[in-house]
């Protein structure tokens, strides 16, 4: 069984976690939601409207990258920004990169990978607002619904979730 770690915190764009999580679990994966602390955090809809509370299964301080086969980085404005500022999150993501494990990022989720400093020479996509950040990190940004480059899968926004889900199921070796 493929074990997927999903990193998120307050300000998560809810559908960018729940859509892929549902698809991955339906395909046979186990998804563990990891946040800055265990317990609930506030998700949003359309980046600003409070939606549901999401329960984190594990705090990042208690998570070990070696326990997982793949990493999911959902977006939202606030969640990726808070995650990228946390040294434990950055170390966790870096461990996936160093182990060449598959990583999927949608929307602003790729911001965490900027902190890992491993995007140079990669082709990526994201929400257009972070295009310059990704290019400054050495990536080539393209406006496609899904981009696969090596161990990475990138997608732009909630509208792309069906294509993103299909790509991550294949990339995480569930299909």
């Amino acid at each position: 069984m493929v074990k997927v770690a999903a990193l998120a915190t307050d300000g998560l764009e809810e559908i960018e976690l729940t859509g892929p999580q549902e698809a991955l679990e339906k395909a046979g994966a186990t998804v563990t939601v990891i946040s800055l602390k265990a317990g609930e955090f506030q998700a949003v809809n359309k980046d600003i409207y409070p939606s549901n509370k999401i329960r984190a299964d594990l705090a990042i301080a208690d998570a070990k990258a070696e326990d997982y086969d793949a990493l999911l980085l959902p977006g939202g404005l606030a969640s990726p920004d808070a995650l990228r500022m946390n040294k434990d999150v950055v170390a966790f993501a870096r461990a996936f990169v160093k182990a060449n494990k598959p990583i999927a990022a949608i929307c602003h989720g790729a911001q965490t990978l900027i902190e890992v400093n491993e995007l140079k020479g990669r082709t990526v996509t994201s929400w257009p607002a972070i295009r310059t950040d990704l290019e400054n990190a050495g990536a080539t940004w393209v406006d496609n619904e899904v981009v696969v480059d090596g161990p990475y899968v990138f997608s732009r926004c909630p509208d792309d979730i069906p294509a993103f889900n299909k790509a991550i199921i294949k990339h995480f070796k569930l299909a």
Side-chain angles (χ1 to χ4, degrees), residues 12-23 54 72 74 161 165:
L12 157 78
E13 184 70 33
E14 183 175 355
I15 193 65
E16 292 178 2
L17 170 65
T18 59
Q21 180 179 15
E22 182 180 316
I54 303 288
L72 174 63
I161 288 174
N165 289 347

Side-chain angles (χ1 to χ4, degrees), residues 102-118:
I103 299 172
I106 186 168
C107 195
H108 287 76
Q111 287 179 310
T112 302
L113 296 173
I114 292 169
E115 298 305 315
V116 176
N117 201 25
E118 291 291 333

Side-chain angles (χ1 to χ4, degrees), residues 20-153:
Q21 180 179 15
E22 182 180 316
L24 289 165
E25 289 174 347
K26 187 175 180 183
T30 299
V31 178
T32 301
V33 178
I34 301 168
S35 191
L36 299 179
K37 58 185 181 350
E40 291 185 336
F41 59 90
Q42 182 64 56
V44 296
N45 182 22
K46 299 187 192 288
D47 287 322
I48 58 171
Y49 303 105
S51 59
N52 294 305
K53 296 274 187 176
I54 303 288
R55 176 160 295 283
D57 301 305
L58 198 59
I60 189 63
D62 299 320
K64 295 180 178 79
E66 60 266 18
D67 293 341
Y68 301 94
D69 304 303
L71 179 60
L72 174 63
L73 299 169
L77 283 172
S79 176
D81 197 56
L83 293 173
R84 74 188 288 193
M85 297 299 296
N86 182 285
K87 66 178 178 46
D88 293 331
V89 168
V90 174
F92 188 81
R94 184 173 284 122
F96 280 84
V97 171
K98 293 205 178 292
N100 204 38
K101 292 181 181 181
I103 299 172
I106 186 168
C107 195
H108 287 76
Q111 287 179 310
T112 302
L113 296 173
I114 292 169
E115 298 305 315
V116 176
N117 201 25
E118 291 291 333
L119 293 178
K120 187 173 184 160
R122 297 288 182 183
T123 300
V124 304
T125 197
S126 67
W127 184 249
I130 66 167
R131 174 185 181 164
T132 301
D133 300 323
L134 291 163
E135 290 175 339
N136 286 340
T140 299
W141 189 90
V142 295
D143 188 15
N144 294 345
E145 77 181 346
V146 173
V147 171
V148 177
D149 187 337
Y152 301 105
V153 177

